[in-house]
Amino acid sequence: MNPQDTLTLRKLDIFLAFMRLGNLARVAEEMELSTVSVHRALHTLEDAVGCPLFRREGRNLQPLDTAYAFAGHARRCLDECRQGLEKVRDMAGVNTPRLRIGSLYSLTLHCIPQVIIGLKLRRPELHVDLSMDSSRGLIESLQNGRLDAIIVGANEPPEHPGLLSVPMFEDALYFAAPAGSRYASATKDIDLATARNEKFVMLGAGFVTSESFMNTFRLAGYEPDVAMQVGDIFSLINLVGQGMGCSLLPGRVAAFSDRVCLKTLQPRYRSRQRIALMLPGSREHDPNLQALAAEAKRTV
């Protein structure tokens, strides 16, 4: 059998869940599998890819750079398959009422589950598809009709012709450092000027947190030494937790990892991100989108 025959969509789904959660047991719980099944899926995925994706540390797995690089391609592959399934089901007339929602990765801990649960209580017959991307990618997908609504962040109130914005909440930016670093015990606000010699990791272009990152360092008057850029905030948090470098992260990610500490910045460096639901102005009277907007307004 060709090793690539073992490269299945299910294994890609498990792989992306592990890259997001970073823990075999948590992936097993979320996907209703045994830990052994998750480990076997990741091992056979490595065989299919043809190169190592993880480093073994006892019973744990640590993603290599190859895993972070592969994650973006795997995510696009699954998204394309889901979109294809949706289109052919629409053609066959077998689709249930469906709403395609896009979100930032960093909103999946509290905000998105709260919104979707409330939406399903309002409209239990509705099937929700959730996609995650950068703010730039989500806005493009909404404008091109690939998504029905998105929840994104911006440093300024979002203004896009033809799109309606429903404000939800604001979030502050923090200095993020490994839990075992010298910053963990800091009792004063962090002065970025004193972190000039630190290595940093950051999100790639298109993310509101990446934009906030660069704006803040402009205020500090220097360009940070960026060791790596990544394509999602879960990978970024894992890299900070493993000591790859420091970063600037929004407060909403605080509960994602106990290996990362968030410290307030000095007042001159502080900024806030505005989180909002965006939807096409031409569909403001759509009952499904009206229900979604009502839940968005309730989110704090």
Side-chain angles (χ1 to χ4, degrees), residues 200-271:
F200 287 87
V201 289
M202 64 177 292
L203 288 171
F207 290 88
V208 62
T209 297
S210 173
E211 182 181 333
S212 300
F213 181 99
M214 297 308 299
N215 288 343
T216 303
F217 277 100
R218 289 189 189 100
L219 294 175
Y222 68 94
E223 291 189 8
D225 184 358
V226 177
M228 183 178 293
Q229 293 188 20
V230 295
D232 68 88
I233 205 160
F234 303 114
S235 300
L236 177 58
I237 293 169
N238 285 332
L239 289 173
V240 173
Q242 292 170 26
M244 181 68 72
C246 299
S247 193
L248 301 180
L249 293 172
R252 58 185 177 273
V253 305
F256 275 119
S257 174
D258 57 8
R259 299 171 67 181
V260 175
C261 62
L262 299 185
K263 297 293 183 177
T264 54
L265 293 162
Q266 287 189 347
R268 56 180 166 158
Y269 303 120
R270 292 176 189 171
S271 63

Side-chain angles (χ1 to χ4, degrees), residues 182-190 263-264:
R182 62 187 179 93
Y183 296 103
S185 59
T187 56
K188 296 182 179 180
D189 295 341
I190 301 297
K263 297 293 183 177
T264 54

Side-chain angles (χ1 to χ4, degrees), residues 54-288:
F54 304 99
R55 180 178 68 253
R56 275 70 178 173
E57 293 185 356
R59 295 184 178 181
N60 297 320
L61 298 177
Q62 294 297 334
L64 299 173
D65 289 348
T66 50
Y68 291 111
F70 184 55
H73 297 283
R75 191 174 297 110
R76 286 192 290 274
C77 175
L78 288 179
D79 286 345
E80 285 291 329
C81 287
R82 291 183 180 118
Q83 290 172 23
L85 286 172
E86 181 179 334
K87 287 181 179 179
V88 297
R89 287 169 178 166
D90 284 338
M91 291 174 62
V94 298
N95 255 345
T96 57
R98 183 179 301 272
L99 196 63
R100 301 165 301 174
I101 301 175
S103 167
L104 298 174
Y105 298 94
S106 58
L107 296 172
T108 56
L109 185 60
H110 296 300
C111 174
I112 293 301
Q114 180 180 338
V115 168
I116 292 179
I117 289 172
L119 178 61
K120 293 289 286 183
L121 290 174
R122 290 174 182 266
R123 304 188 68 81
E125 78 286 356
L126 189 63
H127 182 84
V128 177
D129 288 339
L130 180 63
S131 300
M132 292 177 285
D133 202 344
S134 66
S135 289
R136 180 189 299 171
L138 291 171
I139 291 171
E140 289 177 356
S141 293
L142 182 61
Q143 291 173 326
N144 293 334
R146 293 193 296 269
L147 293 173
D148 301 307
I150 59 175
I151 299 178
V152 295
N155 290 312
E156 299 295 335
E159 295 182 5
H160 296 277
L163 300 180
L164 296 179
S165 177
V166 179
M168 295 175 64
F169 62 92
E170 292 188 352
D171 198 0
L173 201 66
Y174 293 81
F175 186 87
S181 69
R182 62 187 179 93
Y183 296 103
S185 59
T187 56
K188 296 182 179 180
D189 295 341
I190 301 297
D191 181 359
L192 278 184
T194 65
R196 184 182 293 269
N197 295 324
E198 297 288 350
K199 295 283 188 182
F200 287 87
V201 289
M202 64 177 292
L203 288 171
F207 290 88
V208 62
T209 297
S210 173
E211 182 181 333
S212 300
F213 181 99
M214 297 308 299
N215 288 343
T216 303
F217 277 100
R218 289 189 189 100
L219 294 175
Y222 68 94
E223 291 189 8
D225 184 358
V226 177
M228 183 178 293
Q229 293 188 20
V230 295
D232 68 88
I233 205 160
F234 303 114
S235 300
L236 177 58
I237 293 169
N238 285 332
L239 289 173
V240 173
Q242 292 170 26
M244 181 68 72
C246 299
S247 193
L248 301 180
L249 293 172
R252 58 185 177 273
V253 305
F256 275 119
S257 174
D258 57 8
R259 299 171 67 181
V260 175
C261 62
L262 299 185
K263 297 293 183 177
T264 54
L265 293 162
Q266 287 189 347
R268 56 180 166 158
Y269 303 120
R270 292 176 189 171
S271 63
R272 302 190 71 80
Q273 296 177 357
R274 296 169 173 84
I275 308 301
L277 168 71
M278 299 185 71
L279 49 92
S282 60
R283 297 180 58 190
E284 63 177 316
H285 299 300
D286 183 316
N288 292 332

